Amino acid sequence: MTTLTVHMAPIGTPLANGKSSMVGHMWYTLDNGSGKPPLSFGFAPIQSGSPWGPSKPYTDDNVNYLNTNPSKPIETRTIEISKTEYNTMKNFGEDPSSYKFNTYYNGLNNSCVDFTWKAMQIAGLNSGQIEGAILPQWNKGLVQNTWNELQKTKLSD
């Protein structure tokens, strides 16, 4: 089974470097069902902590954001996806600029949230072209509603 998981870390999530996340983070993982660790794709400025600036995709968010604070858990939502959707999201995560995604980070309108929603849109999993809420933890209801709509569509096909 091939799956997509969207991760929404709240403000204050512990980080592997001993610090905590100042604004939270949103990223996605892709699991091809092989038993290997899922691929992780996030987006952030090259200069850590900056609200804007040159940025890049990151492939280590799954190990950098620690789900160790029970009062601030990282919310996740998982859905089964096709191999084509998997490959599209993998390709986007590796090279978002090839899909015309602006790689200049702006915390207000071109952030990790926008990156994740755009990846879903390009794969056909965000037909409403949702751009998401500004803070990562505010997206869990939007993601769940999107999953619910996708499930209804798959059931009616």
Side-chain angles (χ1 to χ4, degrees):
M1 177 169 68
T2 306
T3 60
L4 159 66
T5 301
V6 174
H7 305 259
M8 296 152 284
I11 294 167
T13 296
L15 302 174
N17 65 7
K19 297 180 181 179
S20 61
S21 177
M22 293 179 0
V23 294
H25 189 52
M26 185 169 174
W27 74 98
Y28 64 94
T29 55
L30 300 170
D31 189 335
N32 65 7
S34 69
K36 294 180 182 176
L39 301 175
S40 177
F41 297 100
F43 179 72
I46 293 169
Q47 183 178 344
S48 180
S50 176
W52 57 79
S55 58
K56 67 178 186 172
Y58 287 83
T59 58
D60 56 0
D61 291 332
N62 260 10
V63 295
N64 284 332
Y65 287 81
L66 307 176
N67 201 11
T68 57
N69 184 344
S71 67
K72 293 180 179 275
I74 296 173
E75 297 281 343
T76 61
R77 299 292 184 271
T78 301
I79 191 168
E80 187 174 345
I81 59 173
S82 71
K83 288 286 188 187
T84 300
E85 292 161 342
Y86 174 97
N87 289 330
T88 300
M89 292 188 74
K90 178 181 180 292
N91 292 337
F92 174 84
E94 291 170 346
D95 186 11
S97 61
S98 69
Y99 290 85
K100 297 184 174 45
F101 183 80
N102 181 358
T103 57
Y104 188 86
Y105 189 92
N106 179 324
L108 295 176
N109 60 22
N110 198 53
S111 68
C112 57
V113 171
D114 301 285
F115 175 84
T116 302
W117 282 104
K118 187 64 161 182
M120 290 189 289
Q121 180 184 335
I122 288 168
L125 302 170
N126 176 13
S127 61
Q129 299 184 9
I130 296 167
E131 292 182 11
I134 193 165
L135 290 177
Q137 69 264 24
W138 294 350
N139 284 273
K140 63 184 176 184
L142 294 170
V143 173
Q144 187 62 56
N145 289 342
T146 301
W147 275 199
N148 293 344
E149 289 301 314
L150 287 168
Q151 295 295 357
K152 285 181 197 174
T153 302
K154 288 181 181 190
L155 291 174
S156 66
D157 286 348

